Amino acid sequence: MEKQRLDKIIASSGKWSRKEARELARRGQVTVNGLFVRSAEEKYDPEKDEITVAGETLGYRRYTWIMLNKPAGCLSATEDGRGKTVLDLLPQELQRQNLFPVGRLDKDTEGLLLLTNEGGLAHALLSPKRHVDKVYYARTAGRLSEEDCRAFAQGLSLDGGLQCLPAKLEILSAGEESEARITLREGKYHQVKRMLAARGNPVVYLERIQMGQLPLDPSLARGAFRFLTEEEIKELRALV
Ligand code: URA
């Protein structure tokens, strides 16, 4: 891989800014291949050279994968002239890595959103042919019934001619307002909202809680993010 400046390599971990990386090197907190370096301006190969920062080995990855707990009110887009996007929730160093959201959540939908700069795998995960499960928690205005579960299982036909694949509706509570867990194998525009509205149960709250086998990390506060582990990335690769 092409050599890059050490401060850039360190900042791409998302844990330190380039300025902090230079400062850490000055303070003797950075080693390359076992030797302390005082300047972070030299260039190294992030795949071949072993770099440690404050005693921690920097596991360099060609691609970045992030799990974000999306809050309501921000757009799943990389830029928007008018409003806040999910990228605004990330530190500057990560904003410069050409990350984009893997699929979209509506502005008012919360929960699990993956961000990456690995286009090939992201597109494969989103491909309608792959049928990667997406699991949502929804609250609806209206009482959900077993009949709704059967209709979901058969595959709903929506206004505008959209024929949905069979989906799973599990009722968690039924009353004037109901709660449900919904598993879809596709991701059409506003799909969960349209499916529930078609059954007379408009969504009042929606959260994505899982993608494939990957659940939303319960320790992530709304608006917070973390890097995926190697194991989690491997599991995503296994899906495609
Ligand atoms: N279905 C919806 O209706 N909205 C989302 O954000 C995701 C799935």
mmCIF file with all atom_site columns, all heavy atoms in Angstrom, residues 70 76 104-110 134 136 184 186-195 203 206 208, ligand 1:
data_model
loop_
_atom_site.group_PDB
_atom_site.id
_atom_site.type_symbol
_atom_site.label_atom_id
_atom_site.label_alt_id
_atom_site.label_comp_id
_atom_site.label_asym_id
_atom_site.label_entity_id
_atom_site.label_seq_id
_atom_site.pdbx_PDB_ins_code
_atom_site.Cartn_x
_atom_site.Cartn_y
_atom_site.Cartn_z
_atom_site.occupancy
_atom_site.B_iso_or_equiv
_atom_site.pdbx_formal_charge
_atom_site.auth_seq_id
_atom_site.auth_comp_id
_atom_site.auth_asym_id
_atom_site.auth_atom_id
_atom_site.pdbx_PDB_model_num
ATOM   1   N N   . LYS A 1 70  ? -28.456 5.840  15.223 1.00 0.00 ? 70  LYS A N   1
ATOM   2   C CA  . LYS A 1 70  ? -28.974 7.089  14.630 1.00 0.00 ? 70  LYS A CA  1
ATOM   3   C C   . LYS A 1 70  ? -30.101 7.681  15.482 1.00 0.00 ? 70  LYS A C   1
ATOM   4   O O   . LYS A 1 70  ? -31.044 6.971  15.824 1.00 0.00 ? 70  LYS A O   1
ATOM   5   C CB  . LYS A 1 70  ? -29.502 6.804  13.217 1.00 0.00 ? 70  LYS A CB  1
ATOM   6   C CG  . LYS A 1 70  ? -30.107 8.026  12.529 1.00 0.00 ? 70  LYS A CG  1
ATOM   7   C CD  . LYS A 1 70  ? -30.791 7.627  11.232 1.00 0.00 ? 70  LYS A CD  1
ATOM   8   C CE  . LYS A 1 70  ? -31.565 8.765  10.591 1.00 0.00 ? 70  LYS A CE  1
ATOM   9   N NZ  . LYS A 1 70  ? -32.604 9.334  11.444 1.00 0.00 ? 70  LYS A NZ  1
ATOM   10  N N   . SER A 1 76  ? -29.994 10.286 6.651  1.00 0.00 ? 76  SER A N   1
ATOM   11  C CA  . SER A 1 76  ? -29.013 9.247  6.253  1.00 0.00 ? 76  SER A CA  1
ATOM   12  C C   . SER A 1 76  ? -28.441 9.635  4.899  1.00 0.00 ? 76  SER A C   1
ATOM   13  O O   . SER A 1 76  ? -28.694 8.973  3.900  1.00 0.00 ? 76  SER A O   1
ATOM   14  C CB  . SER A 1 76  ? -29.679 7.892  6.085  1.00 0.00 ? 76  SER A CB  1
ATOM   15  O OG  . SER A 1 76  ? -30.423 7.540  7.175  1.00 0.00 ? 76  SER A OG  1
ATOM   16  N N   . ARG A 1 104 ? -30.704 3.437  3.824  1.00 0.00 ? 104 ARG A N   1
ATOM   17  C CA  . ARG A 1 104 ? -31.220 4.665  4.428  1.00 0.00 ? 104 ARG A CA  1
ATOM   18  C C   . ARG A 1 104 ? -32.221 4.386  5.520  1.00 0.00 ? 104 ARG A C   1
ATOM   19  O O   . ARG A 1 104 ? -32.971 3.420  5.435  1.00 0.00 ? 104 ARG A O   1
ATOM   20  C CB  . ARG A 1 104 ? -31.922 5.505  3.356  1.00 0.00 ? 104 ARG A CB  1
ATOM   21  C CG  . ARG A 1 104 ? -30.929 6.209  2.495  1.00 0.00 ? 104 ARG A CG  1
ATOM   22  C CD  . ARG A 1 104 ? -31.559 6.971  1.376  1.00 0.00 ? 104 ARG A CD  1
ATOM   23  N NE  . ARG A 1 104 ? -30.473 7.565  0.613  1.00 0.00 ? 104 ARG A NE  1
ATOM   24  C CZ  . ARG A 1 104 ? -30.233 8.869  0.556  1.00 0.00 ? 104 ARG A CZ  1
ATOM   25  N NH1 . ARG A 1 104 ? -31.014 9.718  1.171  1.00 0.00 ? 104 ARG A NH1 1
ATOM   26  N NH2 . ARG A 1 104 ? -29.213 9.323  -0.138 1.00 0.00 ? 104 ARG A NH2 1
ATOM   27  N N   . LEU A 1 105 ? -32.211 5.256  6.503  1.00 0.00 ? 105 LEU A N   1
ATOM   28  C CA  . LEU A 1 105 ? -33.318 5.282  7.453  1.00 0.00 ? 105 LEU A CA  1
ATOM   29  C C   . LEU A 1 105 ? -33.984 6.644  7.280  1.00 0.00 ? 105 LEU A C   1
ATOM   30  O O   . LEU A 1 105 ? -33.300 7.638  6.990  1.00 0.00 ? 105 LEU A O   1
ATOM   31  C CB  . LEU A 1 105 ? -32.801 5.143  8.888  1.00 0.00 ? 105 LEU A CB  1
ATOM   32  C CG  . LEU A 1 105 ? -32.213 3.780  9.285  1.00 0.00 ? 105 LEU A CG  1
ATOM   33  C CD1 . LEU A 1 105 ? -31.700 3.827  10.723 1.00 0.00 ? 105 LEU A CD1 1
ATOM   34  C CD2 . LEU A 1 105 ? -33.238 2.667  9.130  1.00 0.00 ? 105 LEU A CD2 1
ATOM   35  N N   . ASP A 1 106 ? -35.297 6.698  7.484  1.00 0.00 ? 106 ASP A N   1
ATOM   36  C CA  . ASP A 1 106 ? -35.992 7.979  7.373  1.00 0.00 ? 106 ASP A CA  1
ATOM   37  C C   . ASP A 1 106 ? -35.456 8.945  8.437  1.00 0.00 ? 106 ASP A C   1
ATOM   38  O O   . ASP A 1 106 ? -34.898 8.521  9.443  1.00 0.00 ? 106 ASP A O   1
ATOM   39  C CB  . ASP A 1 106 ? -37.497 7.791  7.607  1.00 0.00 ? 106 ASP A CB  1
ATOM   40  C CG  . ASP A 1 106 ? -38.123 6.908  6.549  1.00 0.00 ? 106 ASP A CG  1
ATOM   41  O OD1 . ASP A 1 106 ? -37.578 6.838  5.435  1.00 0.00 ? 106 ASP A OD1 1
ATOM   42  O OD2 . ASP A 1 106 ? -39.156 6.286  6.857  1.00 0.00 ? 106 ASP A OD2 1
ATOM   43  N N   . LYS A 1 107 ? -35.722 10.221 8.214  1.00 0.00 ? 107 LYS A N   1
ATOM   44  C CA  . LYS A 1 107 ? -35.222 11.234 9.146  1.00 0.00 ? 107 LYS A CA  1
ATOM   45  C C   . LYS A 1 107 ? -35.709 10.957 10.584 1.00 0.00 ? 107 LYS A C   1
ATOM   46  O O   . LYS A 1 107 ? -34.977 11.136 11.548 1.00 0.00 ? 107 LYS A O   1
ATOM   47  C CB  . LYS A 1 107 ? -35.700 12.615 8.675  1.00 0.00 ? 107 LYS A CB  1
ATOM   48  C CG  . LYS A 1 107 ? -35.071 13.750 9.408  1.00 0.00 ? 107 LYS A CG  1
ATOM   49  C CD  . LYS A 1 107 ? -35.411 15.075 8.769  1.00 0.00 ? 107 LYS A CD  1
ATOM   50  C CE  . LYS A 1 107 ? -34.780 16.210 9.552  1.00 0.00 ? 107 LYS A CE  1
ATOM   51  N NZ  . LYS A 1 107 ? -35.124 17.521 9.031  1.00 0.00 ? 107 LYS A NZ  1
ATOM   52  N N   . ASP A 1 108 ? -36.949 10.500 10.708 1.00 0.00 ? 108 ASP A N   1
ATOM   53  C CA  . ASP A 1 108 ? -37.481 10.284 12.063 1.00 0.00 ? 108 ASP A CA  1
ATOM   54  C C   . ASP A 1 108 ? -37.240 8.859  12.586 1.00 0.00 ? 108 ASP A C   1
ATOM   55  O O   . ASP A 1 108 ? -37.656 8.530  13.687 1.00 0.00 ? 108 ASP A O   1
ATOM   56  C CB  . ASP A 1 108 ? -38.979 10.620 12.121 1.00 0.00 ? 108 ASP A CB  1
ATOM   57  C CG  . ASP A 1 108 ? -39.809 9.792  11.148 1.00 0.00 ? 108 ASP A CG  1
ATOM   58  O OD1 . ASP A 1 108 ? -39.221 9.055  10.330 1.00 0.00 ? 108 ASP A OD1 1
ATOM   59  O OD2 . ASP A 1 108 ? -41.042 9.873  11.209 1.00 0.00 ? 108 ASP A OD2 1
ATOM   60  N N   . THR A 1 109 ? -36.595 8.008  11.807 1.00 0.00 ? 109 THR A N   1
ATOM   61  C CA  . THR A 1 109 ? -36.306 6.641  12.270 1.00 0.00 ? 109 THR A CA  1
ATOM   62  C C   . THR A 1 109 ? -34.991 6.628  13.033 1.00 0.00 ? 109 THR A C   1
ATOM   63  O O   . THR A 1 109 ? -34.040 7.306  12.651 1.00 0.00 ? 109 THR A O   1
ATOM   64  C CB  . THR A 1 109 ? -36.219 5.672  11.067 1.00 0.00 ? 109 THR A CB  1
ATOM   65  O OG1 . THR A 1 109 ? -37.458 5.700  10.373 1.00 0.00 ? 109 THR A OG1 1
ATOM   66  C CG2 . THR A 1 109 ? -35.957 4.244  11.523 1.00 0.00 ? 109 THR A CG2 1
ATOM   67  N N   . GLU A 1 110 ? -34.954 5.841  14.108 1.00 0.00 ? 110 GLU A N   1
ATOM   68  C CA  . GLU A 1 110 ? -33.746 5.773  14.924 1.00 0.00 ? 110 GLU A CA  1
ATOM   69  C C   . GLU A 1 110 ? -33.088 4.399  14.775 1.00 0.00 ? 110 GLU A C   1
ATOM   70  O O   . GLU A 1 110 ? -33.630 3.498  14.158 1.00 0.00 ? 110 GLU A O   1
ATOM   71  C CB  . GLU A 1 110 ? -34.115 6.020  16.395 1.00 0.00 ? 110 GLU A CB  1
ATOM   72  C CG  . GLU A 1 110 ? -34.784 7.375  16.586 1.00 0.00 ? 110 GLU A CG  1
ATOM   73  C CD  . GLU A 1 110 ? -34.829 7.814  18.035 1.00 0.00 ? 110 GLU A CD  1
ATOM   74  O OE1 . GLU A 1 110 ? -35.338 7.048  18.867 1.00 0.00 ? 110 GLU A OE1 1
ATOM   75  O OE2 . GLU A 1 110 ? -34.365 8.930  18.325 1.00 0.00 ? 110 GLU A OE2 1
ATOM   76  N N   . LYS A 1 134 ? -33.567 -7.298 7.817  1.00 0.00 ? 134 LYS A N   1
ATOM   77  C CA  . LYS A 1 134 ? -33.493 -6.045 8.548  1.00 0.00 ? 134 LYS A CA  1
ATOM   78  C C   . LYS A 1 134 ? -34.626 -6.099 9.580  1.00 0.00 ? 134 LYS A C   1
ATOM   79  O O   . LYS A 1 134 ? -35.762 -6.387 9.208  1.00 0.00 ? 134 LYS A O   1
ATOM   80  C CB  . LYS A 1 134 ? -33.671 -4.848 7.614  1.00 0.00 ? 134 LYS A CB  1
ATOM   81  C CG  . LYS A 1 134 ? -32.421 -4.617 6.761  1.00 0.00 ? 134 LYS A CG  1
ATOM   82  C CD  . LYS A 1 134 ? -32.662 -3.809 5.532  1.00 0.00 ? 134 LYS A CD  1
ATOM   83  C CE  . LYS A 1 134 ? -33.058 -4.604 4.341  1.00 0.00 ? 134 LYS A CE  1
ATOM   84  N NZ  . LYS A 1 134 ? -32.113 -5.394 3.618  1.00 0.00 ? 134 LYS A NZ  1
ATOM   85  N N   . TYR A 1 136 ? -36.861 -4.411 12.727 1.00 0.00 ? 136 TYR A N   1
ATOM   86  C CA  . TYR A 1 136 ? -37.303 -3.120 13.262 1.00 0.00 ? 136 TYR A CA  1
ATOM   87  C C   . TYR A 1 136 ? -38.184 -3.326 14.489 1.00 0.00 ? 136 TYR A C   1
ATOM   88  O O   . TYR A 1 136 ? -38.906 -4.321 14.586 1.00 0.00 ? 136 TYR A O   1
ATOM   89  C CB  . TYR A 1 136 ? -38.141 -2.371 12.207 1.00 0.00 ? 136 TYR A CB  1
ATOM   90  C CG  . TYR A 1 136 ? -37.354 -2.017 10.973 1.00 0.00 ? 136 TYR A CG  1
ATOM   91  C CD1 . TYR A 1 136 ? -37.247 -2.926 9.925  1.00 0.00 ? 136 TYR A CD1 1
ATOM   92  C CD2 . TYR A 1 136 ? -36.688 -0.803 10.875 1.00 0.00 ? 136 TYR A CD2 1
ATOM   93  C CE1 . TYR A 1 136 ? -36.506 -2.627 8.790  1.00 0.00 ? 136 TYR A CE1 1
ATOM   94  C CE2 . TYR A 1 136 ? -35.941 -0.495 9.747  1.00 0.00 ? 136 TYR A CE2 1
ATOM   95  C CZ  . TYR A 1 136 ? -35.853 -1.401 8.707  1.00 0.00 ? 136 TYR A CZ  1
ATOM   96  O OH  . TYR A 1 136 ? -35.121 -1.106 7.598  1.00 0.00 ? 136 TYR A OH  1
ATOM   97  N N   . LEU A 1 184 ? -37.870 -7.709 7.722  1.00 0.00 ? 184 LEU A N   1
ATOM   98  C CA  . LEU A 1 184 ? -38.018 -7.587 6.267  1.00 0.00 ? 184 LEU A CA  1
ATOM   99  C C   . LEU A 1 184 ? -36.786 -8.142 5.578  1.00 0.00 ? 184 LEU A C   1
ATOM   100 O O   . LEU A 1 184 ? -35.687 -8.066 6.120  1.00 0.00 ? 184 LEU A O   1
ATOM   101 C CB  . LEU A 1 184 ? -38.118 -6.111 5.846  1.00 0.00 ? 184 LEU A CB  1
ATOM   102 C CG  . LEU A 1 184 ? -39.242 -5.248 6.356  1.00 0.00 ? 184 LEU A CG  1
ATOM   103 C CD1 . LEU A 1 184 ? -39.203 -3.914 5.620  1.00 0.00 ? 184 LEU A CD1 1
ATOM   104 C CD2 . LEU A 1 184 ? -40.578 -5.924 6.161  1.00 0.00 ? 184 LEU A CD2 1
ATOM   105 N N   . GLU A 1 186 ? -36.122 -7.028 2.452  1.00 0.00 ? 186 GLU A N   1
ATOM   106 C CA  . GLU A 1 186 ? -35.907 -6.036 1.390  1.00 0.00 ? 186 GLU A CA  1
ATOM   107 C C   . GLU A 1 186 ? -35.973 -4.655 2.040  1.00 0.00 ? 186 GLU A C   1
ATOM   108 O O   . GLU A 1 186 ? -36.240 -4.557 3.247  1.00 0.00 ? 186 GLU A O   1
ATOM   109 C CB  . GLU A 1 186 ? -36.963 -6.187 0.288  1.00 0.00 ? 186 GLU A CB  1
ATOM   110 C CG  . GLU A 1 186 ? -38.377 -6.115 0.830  1.00 0.00 ? 186 GLU A CG  1
ATOM   111 C CD  . GLU A 1 186 ? -39.438 -6.480 -0.183 1.00 0.00 ? 186 GLU A CD  1
ATOM   112 O OE1 . GLU A 1 186 ? -39.156 -6.429 -1.395 1.00 0.00 ? 186 GLU A OE1 1
ATOM   113 O OE2 . GLU A 1 186 ? -40.554 -6.784 0.237  1.00 0.00 ? 186 GLU A OE2 1
ATOM   114 N N   . GLY A 1 187 ? -35.749 -3.611 1.283  1.00 0.00 ? 187 GLY A N   1
ATOM   115 C CA  . GLY A 1 187 ? -35.697 -2.289 1.892  1.00 0.00 ? 187 GLY A CA  1
ATOM   116 C C   . GLY A 1 187 ? -36.201 -1.207 0.960  1.00 0.00 ? 187 GLY A C   1
ATOM   117 O O   . GLY A 1 187 ? -35.447 -0.326 0.549  1.00 0.00 ? 187 GLY A O   1
ATOM   118 N N   . LYS A 1 188 ? -37.484 -1.280 0.653  1.00 0.00 ? 188 LYS A N   1
ATOM   119 C CA  . LYS A 1 188 ? -38.065 -0.260 -0.231 1.00 0.00 ? 188 LYS A CA  1
ATOM   120 C C   . LYS A 1 188 ? -38.347 1.011  0.574  1.00 0.00 ? 188 LYS A C   1
ATOM   121 O O   . LYS A 1 188 ? -38.445 0.973  1.798  1.00 0.00 ? 188 LYS A O   1
ATOM   122 C CB  . LYS A 1 188 ? -39.362 -0.785 -0.851 1.00 0.00 ? 188 LYS A CB  1
ATOM   123 C CG  . LYS A 1 188 ? -39.192 -2.083 -1.632 1.00 0.00 ? 188 LYS A CG  1
ATOM   124 C CD  . LYS A 1 188 ? -38.874 -1.767 -3.062 1.00 0.00 ? 188 LYS A CD  1
ATOM   125 C CE  . LYS A 1 188 ? -38.479 -2.920 -3.952 1.00 0.00 ? 188 LYS A CE  1
ATOM   126 N NZ  . LYS A 1 188 ? -38.784 -4.259 -3.565 1.00 0.00 ? 188 LYS A NZ  1
ATOM   127 N N   . TYR A 1 189 ? -38.527 2.091  -0.165 1.00 0.00 ? 189 TYR A N   1
ATOM   128 C CA  . TYR A 1 189 ? -38.760 3.416  0.429  1.00 0.00 ? 189 TYR A CA  1
ATOM   129 C C   . TYR A 1 189 ? -39.922 3.391  1.433  1.00 0.00 ? 189 TYR A C   1
ATOM   130 O O   . TYR A 1 189 ? -41.034 2.946  1.092  1.00 0.00 ? 189 TYR A O   1
ATOM   131 C CB  . TYR A 1 189 ? -39.050 4.369  -0.733 1.00 0.00 ? 189 TYR A CB  1
ATOM   132 C CG  . TYR A 1 189 ? -39.176 5.816  -0.350 1.00 0.00 ? 189 TYR A CG  1
ATOM   133 C CD1 . TYR A 1 189 ? -38.110 6.493  0.241  1.00 0.00 ? 189 TYR A CD1 1
ATOM   134 C CD2 . TYR A 1 189 ? -40.356 6.499  -0.598 1.00 0.00 ? 189 TYR A CD2 1
ATOM   135 C CE1 . TYR A 1 189 ? -38.234 7.822  0.572  1.00 0.00 ? 189 TYR A CE1 1
ATOM   136 C CE2 . TYR A 1 189 ? -40.483 7.833  -0.276 1.00 0.00 ? 189 TYR A CE2 1
ATOM   137 C CZ  . TYR A 1 189 ? -39.415 8.489  0.318  1.00 0.00 ? 189 TYR A CZ  1
ATOM   138 O OH  . TYR A 1 189 ? -39.536 9.800  0.647  1.00 0.00 ? 189 TYR A OH  1
ATOM   139 N N   . HIS A 1 190 ? -39.695 3.825  2.655  1.00 0.00 ? 190 HIS A N   1
ATOM   140 C CA  . HIS A 1 190 ? -40.733 3.883  3.710  1.00 0.00 ? 190 HIS A CA  1
ATOM   141 C C   . HIS A 1 190 ? -41.445 2.548  3.904  1.00 0.00 ? 190 HIS A C   1
ATOM   142 O O   . HIS A 1 190 ? -42.643 2.523  4.222  1.00 0.00 ? 190 HIS A O   1
ATOM   143 C CB  . HIS A 1 190 ? -41.808 4.915  3.352  1.00 0.00 ? 190 HIS A CB  1
ATOM   144 C CG  . HIS A 1 190 ? -41.349 6.344  3.400  1.00 0.00 ? 190 HIS A CG  1
ATOM   145 N ND1 . HIS A 1 190 ? -40.326 6.794  4.182  1.00 0.00 ? 190 HIS A ND1 1
ATOM   146 C CD2 . HIS A 1 190 ? -41.813 7.434  2.755  1.00 0.00 ? 190 HIS A CD2 1
ATOM   147 C CE1 . HIS A 1 190 ? -40.156 8.094  4.012  1.00 0.00 ? 190 HIS A CE1 1
ATOM   148 N NE2 . HIS A 1 190 ? -41.038 8.511  3.136  1.00 0.00 ? 190 HIS A NE2 1
ATOM   149 N N   . GLN A 1 191 ? -40.737 1.454  3.693  1.00 0.00 ? 191 GLN A N   1
ATOM   150 C CA  . GLN A 1 191 ? -41.460 0.187  3.577  1.00 0.00 ? 191 GLN A CA  1
ATOM   151 C C   . GLN A 1 191 ? -42.235 -0.216 4.839  1.00 0.00 ? 191 GLN A C   1
ATOM   152 O O   . GLN A 1 191 ? -43.401 -0.596 4.753  1.00 0.00 ? 191 GLN A O   1
ATOM   153 C CB  . GLN A 1 191 ? -40.508 -0.949 3.181  1.00 0.00 ? 191 GLN A CB  1
ATOM   154 C CG  . GLN A 1 191 ? -41.313 -2.206 2.837  1.00 0.00 ? 191 GLN A CG  1
ATOM   155 C CD  . GLN A 1 191 ? -40.516 -3.220 2.066  1.00 0.00 ? 191 GLN A CD  1
ATOM   156 O OE1 . GLN A 1 191 ? -39.389 -2.942 1.664  1.00 0.00 ? 191 GLN A OE1 1
ATOM   157 N NE2 . GLN A 1 191 ? -41.092 -4.385 1.862  1.00 0.00 ? 191 GLN A NE2 1
ATOM   158 N N   . VAL A 1 192 ? -41.590 -0.132 5.994  1.00 0.00 ? 192 VAL A N   1
ATOM   159 C CA  . VAL A 1 192 ? -42.296 -0.565 7.219  1.00 0.00 ? 192 VAL A CA  1
ATOM   160 C C   . VAL A 1 192 ? -43.523 0.329  7.437  1.00 0.00 ? 192 VAL A C   1
ATOM   161 O O   . VAL A 1 192 ? -44.627 -0.153 7.730  1.00 0.00 ? 192 VAL A O   1
ATOM   162 C CB  . VAL A 1 192 ? -41.346 -0.493 8.440  1.00 0.00 ? 192 VAL A CB  1
ATOM   163 C CG1 . VAL A 1 192 ? -42.110 -0.791 9.717  1.00 0.00 ? 192 VAL A CG1 1
ATOM   164 C CG2 . VAL A 1 192 ? -40.190 -1.470 8.275  1.00 0.00 ? 192 VAL A CG2 1
ATOM   165 N N   . LYS A 1 193 ? -43.329 1.630  7.256  1.00 0.00 ? 193 LYS A N   1
ATOM   166 C CA  . LYS A 1 193 ? -44.453 2.557  7.484  1.00 0.00 ? 193 LYS A CA  1
ATOM   167 C C   . LYS A 1 193 ? -45.589 2.267  6.518  1.00 0.00 ? 193 LYS A C   1
ATOM   168 O O   . LYS A 1 193 ? -46.757 2.285  6.898  1.00 0.00 ? 193 LYS A O   1
ATOM   169 C CB  . LYS A 1 193 ? -43.982 4.008  7.323  1.00 0.00 ? 193 LYS A CB  1
ATOM   170 C CG  . LYS A 1 193 ? -43.049 4.452  8.434  1.00 0.00 ? 193 LYS A CG  1
ATOM   171 C CD  . LYS A 1 193 ? -42.566 5.860  8.180  1.00 0.00 ? 193 LYS A CD  1
ATOM   172 C CE  . LYS A 1 193 ? -41.554 6.275  9.230  1.00 0.00 ? 193 LYS A CE  1
ATOM   173 N NZ  . LYS A 1 193 ? -40.811 7.456  8.848  1.00 0.00 ? 193 LYS A NZ  1
ATOM   174 N N   . ARG A 1 194 ? -45.229 2.005  5.261  1.00 0.00 ? 194 ARG A N   1
ATOM   175 C CA  . ARG A 1 194 ? -46.281 1.744  4.261  1.00 0.00 ? 194 ARG A CA  1
ATOM   176 C C   . ARG A 1 194 ? -46.991 0.422  4.548  1.00 0.00 ? 194 ARG A C   1
ATOM   177 O O   . ARG A 1 194 ? -48.203 0.308  4.393  1.00 0.00 ? 194 ARG A O   1
ATOM   178 C CB  . ARG A 1 194 ? -45.682 1.742  2.860  1.00 0.00 ? 194 ARG A CB  1
ATOM   179 C CG  . ARG A 1 194 ? -45.306 3.157  2.416  1.00 0.00 ? 194 ARG A CG  1
ATOM   180 C CD  . ARG A 1 194 ? -44.321 3.138  1.285  1.00 0.00 ? 194 ARG A CD  1
ATOM   181 N NE  . ARG A 1 194 ? -44.900 2.705  0.036  1.00 0.00 ? 194 ARG A NE  1
ATOM   182 C CZ  . ARG A 1 194 ? -44.191 2.320  -1.026 1.00 0.00 ? 194 ARG A CZ  1
ATOM   183 N NH1 . ARG A 1 194 ? -42.868 2.320  -0.966 1.00 0.00 ? 194 ARG A NH1 1
ATOM   184 N NH2 . ARG A 1 194 ? -44.772 1.955  -2.128 1.00 0.00 ? 194 ARG A NH2 1
ATOM   185 N N   . MET A 1 195 ? -46.237 -0.578 4.985  1.00 0.00 ? 195 MET A N   1
ATOM   186 C CA  . MET A 1 195 ? -46.858 -1.876 5.257  1.00 0.00 ? 195 MET A CA  1
ATOM   187 C C   . MET A 1 195 ? -47.825 -1.782 6.436  1.00 0.00 ? 195 MET A C   1
ATOM   188 O O   . MET A 1 195 ? -48.935 -2.303 6.403  1.00 0.00 ? 195 MET A O   1
ATOM   189 C CB  . MET A 1 195 ? -45.780 -2.933 5.550  1.00 0.00 ? 195 MET A CB  1
ATOM   190 C CG  . MET A 1 195 ? -44.987 -3.332 4.314  1.00 0.00 ? 195 MET A CG  1
ATOM   191 S SD  . MET A 1 195 ? -43.536 -4.330 4.717  1.00 0.00 ? 195 MET A SD  1
ATOM   192 C CE  . MET A 1 195 ? -44.265 -5.957 4.812  1.00 0.00 ? 195 MET A CE  1
ATOM   193 N N   . VAL A 1 203 ? -47.470 3.947  11.764 1.00 0.00 ? 203 VAL A N   1
ATOM   194 C CA  . VAL A 1 203 ? -46.308 3.933  12.675 1.00 0.00 ? 203 VAL A CA  1
ATOM   195 C C   . VAL A 1 203 ? -46.210 5.267  13.417 1.00 0.00 ? 203 VAL A C   1
ATOM   196 O O   . VAL A 1 203 ? -46.297 6.326  12.806 1.00 0.00 ? 203 VAL A O   1
ATOM   197 C CB  . VAL A 1 203 ? -45.016 3.703  11.848 1.00 0.00 ? 203 VAL A CB  1
ATOM   198 C CG1 . VAL A 1 203 ? -43.769 4.014  12.666 1.00 0.00 ? 203 VAL A CG1 1
ATOM   199 C CG2 . VAL A 1 203 ? -44.964 2.271  11.336 1.00 0.00 ? 203 VAL A CG2 1
ATOM   200 N N   . LEU A 1 206 ? -40.340 4.349  15.038 1.00 0.00 ? 206 LEU A N   1
ATOM   201 C CA  . LEU A 1 206 ? -39.658 3.258  14.336 1.00 0.00 ? 206 LEU A CA  1
ATOM   202 C C   . LEU A 1 206 ? -38.161 3.272  14.656 1.00 0.00 ? 206 LEU A C   1
ATOM   203 O O   . LEU A 1 206 ? -37.516 4.328  14.624 1.00 0.00 ? 206 LEU A O   1
ATOM   204 C CB  . LEU A 1 206 ? -39.875 3.413  12.830 1.00 0.00 ? 206 LEU A CB  1
ATOM   205 C CG  . LEU A 1 206 ? -39.412 2.247  11.950 1.00 0.00 ? 206 LEU A CG  1
ATOM   206 C CD1 . LEU A 1 206 ? -40.154 0.957  12.291 1.00 0.00 ? 206 LEU A CD1 1
ATOM   207 C CD2 . LEU A 1 206 ? -39.646 2.578  10.474 1.00 0.00 ? 206 LEU A CD2 1
ATOM   208 N N   . ARG A 1 208 ? -34.565 0.759  13.893 1.00 0.00 ? 208 ARG A N   1
ATOM   209 C CA  . ARG A 1 208 ? -33.975 -0.480 13.370 1.00 0.00 ? 208 ARG A CA  1
ATOM   210 C C   . ARG A 1 208 ? -33.114 -1.083 14.471 1.00 0.00 ? 208 ARG A C   1
ATOM   211 O O   . ARG A 1 208 ? -32.288 -0.381 15.070 1.00 0.00 ? 208 ARG A O   1
ATOM   212 C CB  . ARG A 1 208 ? -33.139 -0.223 12.120 1.00 0.00 ? 208 ARG A CB  1
ATOM   213 C CG  . ARG A 1 208 ? -32.584 -1.562 11.582 1.00 0.00 ? 208 ARG A CG  1
ATOM   214 C CD  . ARG A 1 208 ? -32.312 -1.548 10.116 1.00 0.00 ? 208 ARG A CD  1
ATOM   215 N NE  . ARG A 1 208 ? -31.289 -0.585 9.791  1.00 0.00 ? 208 ARG A NE  1
ATOM   216 C CZ  . ARG A 1 208 ? -31.082 -0.117 8.557  1.00 0.00 ? 208 ARG A CZ  1
ATOM   217 N NH1 . ARG A 1 208 ? -31.846 -0.492 7.559  1.00 0.00 ? 208 ARG A NH1 1
ATOM   218 N NH2 . ARG A 1 208 ? -30.123 0.750  8.332  1.00 0.00 ? 208 ARG A NH2 1
HETATM 219 N N1  . URA B 2 .   ? -39.023 1.466  6.777  1.00 0.00 ? 1   URA B N1  1
HETATM 220 C C1  . URA B 2 .   ? -39.486 2.711  6.926  1.00 0.00 ? 1   URA B C1  1
HETATM 221 O O1  . URA B 2 .   ? -40.660 2.966  6.715  1.00 0.00 ? 1   URA B O1  1
HETATM 222 N N2  . URA B 2 .   ? -38.624 3.672  7.320  1.00 0.00 ? 1   URA B N2  1
HETATM 223 C C2  . URA B 2 .   ? -37.338 3.439  7.599  1.00 0.00 ? 1   URA B C2  1
HETATM 224 O O2  . URA B 2 .   ? -36.610 4.348  7.981  1.00 0.00 ? 1   URA B O2  1
HETATM 225 C C3  . URA B 2 .   ? -36.860 2.127  7.447  1.00 0.00 ? 1   URA B C3  1
HETATM 226 C C4  . URA B 2 .   ? -37.713 1.161  7.028  1.00 0.00 ? 1   URA B C4  1
#
